[in-house]
CSV table of all heavy atoms in Angstrom, one decimal:
chain,number,residue,atom,x,y,z
A,1,THR,N,83.2,83.6,84.0
A,1,THR,CA,82.3,83.3,83.0
A,1,THR,C,81.4,84.5,82.6
A,1,THR,O,80.9,85.2,83.4
A,1,THR,CB,81.3,82.2,83.5
A,1,THR,OG1,82.1,81.0,83.9
A,1,THR,CG2,80.3,81.8,82.5
A,2,PHE,N,81.3,84.7,81.3
A,2,PHE,CA,80.6,85.9,80.8
A,2,PHE,C,79.1,85.6,80.8
A,2,PHE,O,78.5,85.4,79.7
A,2,PHE,CB,81.1,86.2,79.4
A,2,PHE,CG,82.4,87.0,79.4
A,2,PHE,CD1,83.6,86.3,79.7
A,2,PHE,CD2,82.5,88.3,79.0
A,2,PHE,CE1,84.8,86.9,79.7
A,2,PHE,CE2,83.7,89.0,79.0
A,2,PHE,CZ,84.9,88.3,79.3
A,3,GLY,N,78.5,85.5,81.9
A,3,GLY,CA,77.1,85.2,82.1
A,3,GLY,C,76.8,85.1,83.5
A,3,GLY,O,77.7,85.1,84.4
A,4,GLY,N,75.5,84.9,83.9
A,4,GLY,CA,75.2,84.7,85.3
A,4,GLY,C,75.6,85.9,86.1
A,4,GLY,O,75.4,87.1,85.7
A,5,VAL,N,76.3,85.6,87.3
A,5,VAL,CA,76.7,86.6,88.2
A,5,VAL,C,77.7,87.6,87.5
A,5,VAL,O,77.8,88.8,87.9
A,5,VAL,CB,77.3,86.0,89.5
A,5,VAL,CG1,78.6,85.3,89.2
A,5,VAL,CG2,77.5,87.0,90.5
A,6,PHE,N,78.5,87.1,86.5
A,6,PHE,CA,79.5,87.9,85.9
A,6,PHE,C,79.1,88.5,84.5
A,6,PHE,O,79.9,88.9,83.7
A,6,PHE,CB,80.8,87.2,85.8
A,6,PHE,CG,81.5,87.0,87.1
A,6,PHE,CD1,82.0,85.8,87.4
A,6,PHE,CD2,81.7,88.1,87.9
A,6,PHE,CE1,82.7,85.6,88.6
A,6,PHE,CE2,82.4,87.9,89.1
A,6,PHE,CZ,82.9,86.7,89.5
A,7,ALA,N,77.7,88.5,84.3
A,7,ALA,CA,77.3,89.1,83.0
A,7,ALA,C,77.6,90.6,82.9
A,7,ALA,O,77.9,91.1,81.8
A,7,ALA,CB,75.8,88.9,82.9
A,8,ARG,N,77.7,91.3,84.0
A,8,ARG,CA,78.0,92.7,84.0
A,8,ARG,C,79.5,92.9,84.2
A,8,ARG,O,80.1,92.3,85.1
A,8,ARG,CB,77.3,93.5,85.1
A,8,ARG,CG,75.8,93.5,84.9
A,8,ARG,CD,75.1,94.1,86.2
A,8,ARG,NE,75.7,95.4,86.6
A,8,ARG,CZ,75.5,95.9,87.8
A,8,ARG,NH1,74.8,95.2,88.7
A,8,ARG,NH2,76.1,97.1,88.1
A,9,GLU,N,80.1,93.7,83.3
A,9,GLU,CA,81.5,94.0,83.4
A,9,GLU,C,81.9,94.6,84.7
A,9,GLU,O,83.0,94.3,85.2
A,9,GLU,CB,81.9,94.9,82.3
A,9,GLU,CG,83.4,95.2,82.2
A,9,GLU,CD,83.8,96.2,81.1
A,9,GLU,OE1,83.4,96.0,79.9
A,9,GLU,OE2,84.6,97.1,81.4
A,10,SER,N,81.1,95.3,85.3
A,10,SER,CA,81.5,96.0,86.6
A,10,SER,C,81.7,95.0,87.7
A,10,SER,O,82.5,95.1,88.6
A,10,SER,CB,80.4,97.0,87.0
A,10,SER,OG,79.1,96.4,87.2
A,11,VAL,N,80.8,93.9,87.7
A,11,VAL,CA,81.0,92.8,88.7
A,11,VAL,C,82.3,92.0,88.4
A,11,VAL,O,83.0,91.6,89.4
A,11,VAL,CB,79.7,91.9,88.7
A,11,VAL,CG1,79.9,90.8,89.7
A,11,VAL,CG2,78.4,92.7,88.9
A,12,ARG,N,82.5,91.8,87.1
A,12,ARG,CA,83.8,91.1,86.8
A,12,ARG,C,85.0,91.9,87.3
A,12,ARG,O,85.9,91.4,87.9
A,12,ARG,CB,83.9,90.9,85.3
A,12,ARG,CG,82.9,89.9,84.7
A,12,ARG,CD,83.3,89.4,83.4
A,12,ARG,NE,83.5,90.4,82.4
A,12,ARG,CZ,82.5,90.9,81.6
A,12,ARG,NH1,81.2,90.5,81.8
A,12,ARG,NH2,82.8,91.8,80.7
A,13,GLU,N,84.9,93.2,87.0
A,13,GLU,CA,86.1,94.1,87.4
A,13,GLU,C,86.2,94.1,89.0
A,13,GLU,O,87.3,94.1,89.5
A,13,GLU,CB,85.9,95.5,86.9
A,13,GLU,CG,87.0,96.4,87.3
A,13,GLU,CD,86.9,97.8,86.6
A,13,GLU,OE1,86.1,97.9,85.7
A,13,GLU,OE2,87.8,98.6,86.9
A,14,ALA,N,85.0,94.1,89.7
A,14,ALA,CA,85.1,94.2,91.1
A,14,ALA,C,85.8,92.9,91.7
A,14,ALA,O,86.6,93.0,92.6
A,14,ALA,CB,83.7,94.3,91.7
A,15,PHE,N,85.4,91.8,91.1
A,15,PHE,CA,86.0,90.5,91.6
A,15,PHE,C,87.5,90.5,91.3
A,15,PHE,O,88.3,90.1,92.2
A,15,PHE,CB,85.4,89.3,90.9
A,15,PHE,CG,85.7,88.0,91.6
A,15,PHE,CD1,85.0,87.6,92.7
A,15,PHE,CD2,86.7,87.2,91.1
A,15,PHE,CE1,85.3,86.4,93.3
A,15,PHE,CE2,87.0,86.0,91.7
A,15,PHE,CZ,86.3,85.6,92.8
A,16,LEU,N,87.9,90.9,90.1
A,16,LEU,CA,89.3,90.9,89.8
A,16,LEU,C,90.2,91.9,90.6
A,16,LEU,O,91.3,91.6,91.0
A,16,LEU,CB,89.5,91.3,88.3
A,16,LEU,CG,88.9,90.4,87.3
A,16,LEU,CD1,89.2,90.9,85.8
A,16,LEU,CD2,89.3,89.0,87.5
A,17,LYS,N,89.5,92.9,91.1
A,17,LYS,CA,90.2,93.8,92.0
A,17,LYS,C,90.6,93.2,93.4
A,17,LYS,O,91.4,93.7,94.1
A,17,LYS,CB,89.4,95.1,92.3
A,17,LYS,CG,89.4,96.1,91.1
A,17,LYS,CD,88.5,97.3,91.5
A,17,LYS,CE,88.6,98.4,90.4
A,17,LYS,NZ,90.0,99.0,90.3
A,18,THR,N,89.9,92.1,93.7
A,18,THR,CA,90.1,91.4,95.0
A,18,THR,C,91.2,90.3,94.9
A,18,THR,O,91.6,89.8,95.9
A,18,THR,CB,88.8,90.8,95.5
A,18,THR,OG1,88.5,89.6,94.7
A,18,THR,CG2,87.7,91.8,95.5
A,19,VAL,N,91.6,90.0,93.7
A,19,VAL,CA,92.5,88.8,93.6
A,19,VAL,C,94.0,89.2,94.0
A,19,VAL,O,94.6,90.1,93.5
A,19,VAL,CB,92.5,88.3,92.1
A,19,VAL,CG1,93.5,87.2,91.9
A,19,VAL,CG2,91.2,87.9,91.7
A,20,PRO,N,94.5,88.5,95.0
A,20,PRO,CA,95.8,88.8,95.6
A,20,PRO,C,96.9,88.2,94.8
A,20,PRO,O,97.6,87.3,95.3
A,20,PRO,CB,95.7,88.3,97.0
A,20,PRO,CG,94.8,87.1,96.9
A,20,PRO,CD,93.8,87.4,95.8
A,21,ARG,N,97.1,88.7,93.6
A,21,ARG,CA,98.1,88.0,92.7
A,21,ARG,C,99.5,88.0,93.3
A,21,ARG,O,100.2,87.0,93.2
A,21,ARG,CB,98.1,88.6,91.3
A,21,ARG,CG,96.8,88.4,90.6
A,21,ARG,CD,97.1,88.6,89.1
A,21,ARG,NE,97.5,90.0,88.8
A,21,ARG,CZ,98.3,90.4,87.8
A,21,ARG,NH1,98.7,89.4,86.9
A,21,ARG,NH2,98.6,91.6,87.6
A,22,GLN,N,99.9,89.1,93.9
A,22,GLN,CA,101.3,89.1,94.5
A,22,GLN,C,101.4,88.1,95.6
A,22,GLN,O,102.4,87.4,95.8
A,22,GLN,CB,101.5,90.5,95.0
A,22,GLN,CG,103.0,90.7,95.6
A,22,GLN,CD,104.1,90.5,94.6
A,22,GLN,OE1,103.9,90.9,93.5
A,22,GLN,NE2,105.1,89.8,95.0
A,23,GLN,N,100.3,88.0,96.5
A,23,GLN,CA,100.3,87.0,97.6
A,23,GLN,C,100.4,85.6,97.0
A,23,GLN,O,101.1,84.7,97.6
A,23,GLN,CB,99.1,87.2,98.4
A,23,GLN,CG,99.1,86.3,99.7
A,23,GLN,CD,97.9,86.5,100.5
A,23,GLN,OE1,96.9,87.1,100.1
A,23,GLN,NE2,97.8,85.9,101.7
A,24,LEU,N,99.7,85.3,95.9
A,24,LEU,CA,99.7,84.0,95.3
A,24,LEU,C,101.1,83.6,94.8
A,24,LEU,O,101.6,82.5,95.1
A,24,LEU,CB,98.8,83.9,94.1
A,24,LEU,CG,97.3,84.1,94.4
A,24,LEU,CD1,96.5,84.1,93.1
A,24,LEU,CD2,96.8,82.9,95.2
A,25,VAL,N,101.8,84.6,94.2
A,25,VAL,CA,103.1,84.4,93.7
A,25,VAL,C,104.1,84.1,94.9
A,25,VAL,O,104.9,83.2,94.9
A,25,VAL,CB,103.6,85.5,92.9
A,25,VAL,CG1,105.1,85.4,92.6
A,25,VAL,CG2,102.8,85.6,91.6
A,26,GLU,N,104.0,84.9,95.9
A,26,GLU,CA,104.9,84.8,97.1
A,26,GLU,C,104.7,83.5,97.8
A,26,GLU,O,105.6,82.8,98.3
A,26,GLU,CB,104.7,86.0,98.1
A,26,GLU,CG,105.1,87.3,97.5
A,26,GLU,CD,104.7,88.5,98.4
A,26,GLU,OE1,104.1,88.2,99.5
A,26,GLU,OE2,105.1,89.6,98.1
A,27,THR,N,103.4,83.0,97.9
A,27,THR,CA,103.1,81.8,98.6
A,27,THR,C,103.4,80.6,97.8
A,27,THR,O,103.9,79.6,98.4
A,27,THR,CB,101.6,81.8,99.0
A,27,THR,OG1,101.3,83.0,99.7
A,27,THR,CG2,101.2,80.6,99.8
A,28,ILE,N,103.1,80.6,96.5
A,28,ILE,CA,103.2,79.4,95.7
A,28,ILE,C,104.4,79.2,94.9
A,28,ILE,O,105.0,78.1,94.8
A,28,ILE,CB,101.9,79.3,94.8
A,28,ILE,CG1,100.6,79.3,95.6
A,28,ILE,CG2,102.0,78.1,93.9
A,28,ILE,CD1,99.4,79.4,94.8
A,29,VAL,N,105.0,80.3,94.4
A,29,VAL,CA,106.0,80.2,93.4
A,29,VAL,C,107.4,80.7,93.9
A,29,VAL,O,108.4,80.2,93.6
A,29,VAL,CB,105.6,81.0,92.1
A,29,VAL,CG1,106.7,80.8,91.0
A,29,VAL,CG2,104.3,80.6,91.7
A,30,GLN,N,107.4,81.8,94.7
A,30,GLN,CA,108.7,82.5,94.9
A,30,GLN,C,109.7,81.7,95.7
A,30,GLN,O,110.9,81.9,95.6
A,30,GLN,CB,108.5,83.8,95.6
A,30,GLN,CG,108.1,84.9,94.6
A,30,GLN,CD,108.1,86.3,95.2
A,30,GLN,OE1,108.3,86.5,96.4
A,30,GLN,NE2,108.0,87.3,94.4
A,31,GLU,N,109.2,80.7,96.5
A,31,GLU,CA,110.2,79.9,97.2
A,31,GLU,C,111.0,79.0,96.3
A,31,GLU,O,112.2,78.7,96.5
A,31,GLU,CB,109.5,79.0,98.2
A,31,GLU,CG,109.1,79.7,99.5
A,31,GLU,CD,108.6,78.7,100.6
A,31,GLU,OE1,109.3,77.6,100.7
A,31,GLU,OE2,107.6,79.0,101.2
A,32,LEU,N,110.4,78.7,95.2
A,32,LEU,CA,111.1,77.9,94.1
A,32,LEU,C,111.8,78.8,93.1
A,32,LEU,O,112.9,78.5,92.6
A,32,LEU,CB,110.0,77.0,93.4
A,32,LEU,CG,110.6,76.0,92.5
A,32,LEU,CD1,111.4,75.0,93.3
A,32,LEU,CD2,109.4,75.2,91.8
A,33,ASN,N,111.2,80.0,92.8
A,33,ASN,CA,111.8,80.9,91.9
A,33,ASN,C,111.7,82.3,92.5
A,33,ASN,O,110.6,83.0,92.4
A,33,ASN,CB,111.0,80.9,90.5
A,33,ASN,CG,111.6,81.9,89.5
A,33,ASN,OD1,112.6,82.6,89.8
A,33,ASN,ND2,110.9,82.0,88.4
A,34,PRO,N,112.7,82.8,93.2
A,34,PRO,CA,112.6,84.1,93.9
A,34,PRO,C,112.4,85.2,93.0
A,34,PRO,O,111.9,86.3,93.5
A,34,PRO,CB,114.0,84.2,94.6
A,34,PRO,CG,114.5,82.8,94.6
A,34,PRO,CD,113.9,82.1,93.4
A,35,ASP,N,112.6,85.1,91.7
A,35,ASP,CA,112.4,86.2,90.8
A,35,ASP,C,111.0,86.2,90.2
A,35,ASP,O,110.7,87.1,89.4
A,35,ASP,CB,113.5,86.1,89.6
A,35,ASP,CG,114.9,86.2,90.1
A,35,ASP,OD1,115.1,87.0,91.1
A,35,ASP,OD2,115.8,85.6,89.5
A,36,ALA,N,110.2,85.3,90.5
A,36,ALA,CA,108.9,85.2,90.0
A,36,ALA,C,108.0,86.4,90.3
A,36,ALA,O,108.1,86.9,91.5
A,36,ALA,CB,108.1,83.9,90.4
A,37,GLU,N,107.2,86.8,89.4
A,37,GLU,CA,106.3,88.0,89.6
A,37,GLU,C,104.9,87.6,89.0
A,37,GLU,O,104.8,86.7,88.2
A,37,GLU,CB,106.8,89.2,88.9
A,37,GLU,CG,108.1,89.8,89.5
A,37,GLU,CD,108.6,91.0,88.8
A,37,GLU,OE1,108.0,91.3,87.7
A,37,GLU,OE2,109.6,91.6,89.2
A,38,PRO,N,103.9,88.3,89.4
A,38,PRO,CA,102.5,88.1,88.8
A,38,PRO,C,102.7,88.2,87.3
A,38,PRO,O,103.3,89.1,86.8
A,38,PRO,CB,101.7,89.1,89.4
A,38,PRO,CG,102.3,89.5,90.7
A,38,PRO,CD,103.8,89.3,90.5
A,39,LEU,N,102.0,87.3,86.6
A,39,LEU,CA,102.0,87.3,85.1
A,39,LEU,C,101.1,88.4,84.6
A,39,LEU,O,99.9,88.5,85.0
A,39,LEU,CB,101.5,86.0,84.6
A,39,LEU,CG,101.7,85.8,83.1
A,39,LEU,CD1,103.1,85.8,82.6
A,39,LEU,CD2,101.1,84.4,82.8
A,40,ASP,N,101.6,89.2,83.7
A,40,ASP,CA,100.8,90.4,83.2
A,40,ASP,C,100.5,90.3,81.7
A,40,ASP,O,100.3,91.3,81.0
A,40,ASP,CB,101.6,91.7,83.4
A,40,ASP,CG,101.7,92.1,84.9
A,40,ASP,OD1,100.7,91.8,85.6
A,40,ASP,OD2,102.6,92.7,85.3
A,41,SER,N,100.3,89.1,81.2
A,41,SER,CA,99.9,88.9,79.8
A,41,SER,C,99.1,87.6,79.7
A,41,SER,O,99.4,86.6,80.4
A,41,SER,CB,101.0,88.9,78.9
A,41,SER,OG,100.6,88.5,77.6
A,42,GLN,N,98.1,87.6,78.9
A,42,GLN,CA,97.3,86.4,78.6
A,42,GLN,C,97.9,85.6,77.5
A,42,GLN,O,97.6,84.4,77.3
A,42,GLN,CB,95.8,86.7,78.3
A,42,GLN,CG,95.0,87.3,79.4
A,42,GLN,CD,94.5,86.2,80.3
A,42,GLN,OE1,94.9,85.1,80.2
A,42,GLN,NE2,93.6,86.6,81.3
A,43,LEU,N,98.8,86.2,76.7
A,43,LEU,CA,99.3,85.6,75.5
A,43,LEU,C,100.8,85.3,75.5
A,43,LEU,O,101.3,84.5,74.7
A,43,LEU,CB,99.0,86.4,74.3
A,43,LEU,CG,97.5,86.6,74.0
A,43,LEU,CD1,97.3,87.3,72.7
A,43,LEU,CD2,96.7,85.3,74.0
A,44,PHE,N,101.6,86.0,76.4
A,44,PHE,CA,103.0,85.9,76.4
A,44,PHE,C,103.5,85.5,77.8
A,44,PHE,O,102.9,85.9,78.7
A,44,PHE,CB,103.7,87.2,75.9
A,44,PHE,CG,103.3,87.6,74.5
A,44,PHE,CD1,102.5,88.7,74.3
A,44,PHE,CD2,103.9,86.9,73.4
A,44,PHE,CE1,102.2,89.1,73.0
A,44,PHE,CE2,103.5,87.4,72.1
A,44,PHE,CZ,102.7,88.4,71.9
A,45,LEU,N,104.7,84.9,77.8
A,45,LEU,CA,105.3,84.6,79.1
A,45,LEU,C,106.5,85.5,79.2
A,45,LEU,O,107.1,86.0,78.2
A,45,LEU,CB,105.7,83.1,79.1
A,45,LEU,CG,104.5,82.1,79.1
A,45,LEU,CD1,105.0,80.7,78.9
A,45,LEU,CD2,103.7,82.3,80.4
A,46,PRO,N,107.0,85.7,80.5
A,46,PRO,CA,108.1,86.6,80.7
A,46,PRO,C,109.4,86.4,79.9
A,46,PRO,O,110.1,87.3,79.6
A,46,PRO,CB,108.3,86.5,82.2
A,46,PRO,CG,107.0,86.1,82.8
A,46,PRO,CD,106.5,85.2,81.7
A,47,ASP,N,109.7,85.1,79.6
A,47,ASP,CA,110.9,84.8,78.8
A,47,ASP,C,110.7,84.9,77.3
A,47,ASP,O,111.6,84.5,76.5
A,47,ASP,CB,111.4,83.4,79.2
A,47,ASP,CG,110.3,82.4,79.3
A,47,ASP,OD1,109.2,82.6,78.9
A,47,ASP,OD2,110.7,81.3,79.8
C-alpha cells in the first residue's frame, strides 16, 4: 500500500528485498510444475 508504513519508497524496497520468491515457487508450485520459476512481469505471463 502506497501510504502508512510504506509511504516511503525505501521501506517498500526493503520489504521487497526480503520476499523469498524462489522458495515460494519451490514450496508451492514446482512439485506440480517442475519448470515453474518466479514471475518477473506484472503484465505478462511466461507463455
Side-chain angles (χ1 to χ4, degrees):
T1 301
F2 283 67
V5 67
F6 286 132
R8 292 171 54 197
E9 182 180 314
S10 61
V11 181
R12 296 198 300 274
E13 181 171 352
F15 193 81
L16 298 183
K17 283 180 175 292
T18 72
V19 178
R21 292 200 299 152
Q22 183 63 42
Q23 185 182 9
L24 292 174
V25 170
E26 292 173 357
T27 304
I28 299 172
V29 186
Q30 279 190 351
E31 282 191 42
L32 192 61
N33 178 8
D35 297 327
E37 296 180 351
L39 186 62
D40 286 331
S41 172
Q42 292 278 9
L43 300 186
F44 299 107
L45 295 171
D47 43 11

